[in-house]
Amino acid sequence: MTSVQGTAVDIPTEDGTADAYLAHPGDTNPRPGVLLYQDAFGLRPHLRSMADRLAAAGYTVLVPNVFYRHGRAPVFELPEFIDTTARPEIFDAIVPVMQSLTPELAMRDADAYLRWLEGSPLVADGPVALTGYCMGARLSLLTAGTYPERVAAAAGFHGGRLATDAPDSPHLVAERVTAELYFGHADDDPSLPPEQIERLEDVLTAAGVRHQCEVYPGAHHGFTQKDTAAYHQEGDERHWVALLDLLKRTF
């Protein structure tokens, strides 16, 4: 593990400026780039700590505020410990913002995030890796299929709505994916029922995508997020092993 430096950065996009967090090893040498996509609660201390952990393993990690059109992070007023069972009103603010980030807008932004990484002296030349959580898992898959030549690997954890009947469902980009993919699914997740897990697996296999999809027993939706009531330590530890293994195979 190495020392880590974390800084706030601004990323110009077609629609404004996305604030973001950048974490990288303290020696400032170019390292493989990782784009980390947030969950629904947004850019906050816990996600920064996740980026720091990846940076300590030898990567330059960018965590954009994908909700930047609604303000700089924190976009929502959140308690230090997030329990949506006790505070269901939290989602009253979050859901409309999530819904406003259409796949078209998200992929327009993804181009800006990838260009920023490509231009950073802290990022090694070549394709980057992606990892995403909750809604970020969808963004990870969509980005891998939209910009295949710029993505070497992509992971998603406790993702929801990955393979729906919607015409813009993320699984429909599978035939364009060239990256290696890994998905760690939450167990008994209403946002990703068994039929969607099977559909995703079938589509990735048919497209010849290198991939692994696993269901984490006992881990609920949001299991990697230590600042929430959904946190599941065993699932989180397994996620770190899988993610770091993927990155080691990639770079």
Side-chain angles (χ1 to χ4, degrees), residues 60-207:
T60 295
V61 187
L62 181 69
V63 191
N65 166 24
V66 303
F67 295 150
Y68 71 89
R69 292 177 180 84
H70 299 268
R72 299 179 71 87
V75 176
F76 312 110
E77 292 186 13
L78 298 171
E80 289 187 15
F81 182 77
I82 304 167
D83 184 349
T84 55
T85 302
R87 296 277 305 278
E89 74 278 3
I90 290 174
F91 273 119
D92 292 341
I94 292 176
V95 169
V97 174
M98 286 180 59
Q99 292 174 340
S100 72
L101 185 65
T102 64
E104 179 183 4
L105 290 178
M107 291 306 96
R108 197 157 73 201
D109 292 341
D111 177 56
Y113 306 149
L114 293 171
R115 279 189 286 105
W116 193 94
L117 285 167
E118 290 162 3
S120 172
L122 296 171
V123 179
D125 293 339
V128 303
L130 316 170
T131 185
Y133 303 86
C134 180
M135 59 168 282
R138 295 200 307 273
L139 298 180
S140 185
L141 178 53
L142 284 170
T143 303
T146 305
Y147 302 105
E149 71 285 355
R150 299 157 79 177
V151 178
F157 298 92
H158 49 82
R161 300 182 58 78
L162 293 175
T164 72
D165 295 325
D168 58 359
S169 176
H171 78 287
L172 297 176
V173 304
E175 63 183 13
R176 301 197 298 273
V177 172
T178 58
E180 181 177 351
L181 303 184
Y182 178 90
F183 289 98
H185 303 310
D187 190 16
D188 192 22
D189 185 348
S191 70
L192 194 73
E195 58 268 24
Q196 286 195 41
I197 293 176
E198 182 177 0
R199 181 183 294 165
L200 177 64
E201 175 72 34
D202 290 347
V203 166
L204 293 176
T205 300

